[in-house]
Amino acid sequence: MPELHHILPALLISLLPAFCMAEATPISPGLACKSEKQAINEEGFVDIGGIPQWITIKGKHCGNPVILVLHGGPGNTMSPYASAIYGAWEKDYTLVQWDQRGAGKTYGKNKPTEATSLTVAQMAEDGVALATYLTQHLGKKKIILTGSSWGSILGVQMSLSKPELFYAYVGTSQIISYKENQTASYNKVIALAQAAGDQETVAKVRALGPPPWSNPRNFGILRKVIRKYEAQRTAPAPATWWAPEPAYATPAAQADYEGGEDYSFLKFVGYKGDGMLSKVDFASTATRFALPVFFVQGAEDLLTMPEITRQYVDSITAPQKEYILVPRVGHDPNLPFIEAQLKLLNERVRPLSN
């Protein structure tokens, strides 16, 4: 990739040691930032929604804008990988990673049973409570909210619920509608497999039948095929991104990560296709925003298809809105995707916090 705009993120990644801070300290009580020039590097459990939930807060200067990152999955926490992927951002932003209810270290601290409920409304309330806590803890009037994939569902709900908490919402790999997203994915994957003469994949996907599905395994089967075809059309992410930091690489931490992934996924799809995803229809329920909204979309995303996101953005009203299509990007993060997000933050979102 000879283009400078593709080389830049790799250069930033290589410079990460220059930005790394001292070992993290526990979450401090009260106001953490005594001056704008102060660095912050805290981690620990905070009482959110009646249970202890894990967060990390990292930034070179307390005066910088705060970004709350909503991970996808639902159980795919970004805490183990945040320094590798977002570490260079800490020079200009204070980044907050959150292991959501039922995921990662939060799952490990509050082991649920299969019968323990998990709902979008409950988790969006958790997110609003966390955002409120962050404004108080870091001495901010508002923060920036960004969510990817599953996290984009929470991001929309939180933006509608408490827009006054956020300078802007940035959705990446935005989920719009259970029915529309899955139907578009199903049809597109079959078309790609047919064009490639991949009759095995055509047969495998057609055997699922058109969505919506009642079998929870069907979503996973389609997702596996999506990853196969996205890999042929996108720039791969650096392998170093997906090596967890030492604190998250212990057998216990890995078991909690995997346990949270399994628990959250079943709540997401449901045993009969009746999980959290089945309730999502933002094209009907979330079309008026009271804050600026921005959507960064991979051009090769086969899970949240670009045309579905584009139609949605065209239909909504907001003080500001923008749709950014990024070539060589699928559903999951890679260097061009991270670069596009940072460019948007620097040029369009950061000025809103001044």
Side-chain angles (χ1 to χ4, degrees):
M1 296 181 292
E3 298 94 336
L4 178 59
H5 70 281
H6 284 150
I7 294 173
L8 178 59
L11 176 61
L12 291 175
I13 298 287
S14 71
L15 293 175
L16 277 179
F19 299 135
C20 288
M21 294 177 285
E23 185 176 348
T25 59
I27 299 288
S28 63
L31 183 64
C33 291
K34 305 300 190 287
S35 75
E36 290 196 347
K37 294 184 179 180
Q38 173 190 334
I40 186 166
N41 186 8
E42 294 186 339
E43 63 181 27
F45 290 99
V46 175
D47 186 27
I48 303 167
I51 64 170
Q53 301 197 34
W54 180 261
I55 65 170
T56 67
I57 307 173
K58 297 184 181 182
K60 297 297 289 184
H61 301 289
C62 277
N64 285 331
V66 176
I67 302 175
L68 172 57
V69 180
L70 304 176
H71 66 71
N76 301 139
T77 62
M78 292 303 290
S79 304
Y81 317 108
S83 292
I85 298 174
Y86 301 108
W89 294 20
E90 294 167 15
K91 178 172 66 71
D92 298 309
Y93 299 93
T94 297
L95 292 190
V96 180
Q97 302 291 338
W98 166 37
D99 287 16
Q100 299 160 16
R101 184 184 294 262
K105 285 184 175 288
T106 299
Y107 170 89
K109 188 76 168 178
N110 313 274
K111 289 279 175 62
T113 67
E114 273 191 23
T116 305
S117 68
L118 198 65
T119 68
V120 172
Q122 176 188 43
M123 296 176 75
E125 287 177 5
D126 286 350
V128 167
L130 174 56
T132 302
Y133 168 82
L134 292 172
T135 61
Q136 298 166 353
H137 186 62
L138 301 175
K140 300 293 184 180
K141 293 181 180 179
K142 300 182 181 184
I143 64 176
I144 298 164
L145 182 64
T146 182
S148 180
S149 192
W150 154 258
S152 74
I153 296 175
L154 296 186
V156 167
Q157 297 284 29
M158 290 166 62
S159 298
L160 294 175
S161 173
K162 289 289 182 181
E164 64 270 22
L165 280 174
F166 310 110
Y167 288 113
Y169 167 61
V170 179
T172 64
S173 303
Q174 179 71 50
I175 294 176
I176 307 299
S177 164
Y178 166 61
K179 183 176 180 180
E180 290 185 19
N181 281 128
Q182 285 204 338
T183 299
S185 295
Y186 175 84
N187 291 334
K188 182 66 173 181
V189 165
I190 289 176
L192 288 173
Q194 286 177 326
D198 183 358
Q199 295 306 316
E200 181 182 353
T201 295
V202 172
K204 180 186 296 184
V205 176
R206 279 186 169 162
L208 304 177
W213 299 306
S214 58
N215 185 339
R217 296 180 180 275
N218 288 7
F219 183 88
I221 292 169
L222 182 67
R223 186 73 177 101
K224 186 174 181 180
V225 174
I226 283 172
R227 285 198 170 102
K228 169 186 171 181
Y229 275 92
E230 283 189 351
Q232 299 172 10
R233 305 151 70 89
T234 62
T240 53
W241 279 12
W242 307 117
E245 295 178 34
Y248 299 92
T250 66
Q254 289 288 290
D256 287 340
Y257 187 97
E258 292 170 8
E261 233 183 357
D262 291 344
Y263 164 77
S264 298
F265 178 77
L266 283 174
K267 298 297 182 181
F268 180 60
V269 298
Y271 285 102
K272 297 181 180 179
D274 55 354
M276 294 186 288
L277 179 59
S278 69
K279 314 298 192 297
V280 177
D281 183 13
F282 290 149
S284 299
T285 64
T287 58
R288 299 182 66 86
F289 290 85
L291 78 171
V293 292
F294 304 90
F295 299 89
V296 186
Q297 171 69 48
E300 305 299 338
D301 189 337
L302 299 176
L303 187 60
T304 53
M305 298 281 292
E307 56 266 35
I308 303 298
T309 308
R310 173 85 253 188
Q311 291 168 10
Y312 176 66
V313 176
D314 288 344
S315 75
I316 65 177
T317 60
Q320 295 182 43
K321 67 177 183 178
E322 188 168 349
Y323 170 84
I324 299 162
L325 190 66
V326 190
R328 297 283 290 159
V329 172
H331 189 74
D332 299 321
N334 62 4
L335 291 175
F337 210 17
I338 294 299
E339 178 193 28
Q341 292 171 49
L342 183 57
K343 184 175 187 292
L344 169 69
L345 288 166
N346 288 340
E347 295 180 359
R348 299 296 306 280
V349 180
R350 189 185 182 97
L352 297 172
S353 67
N354 294 334

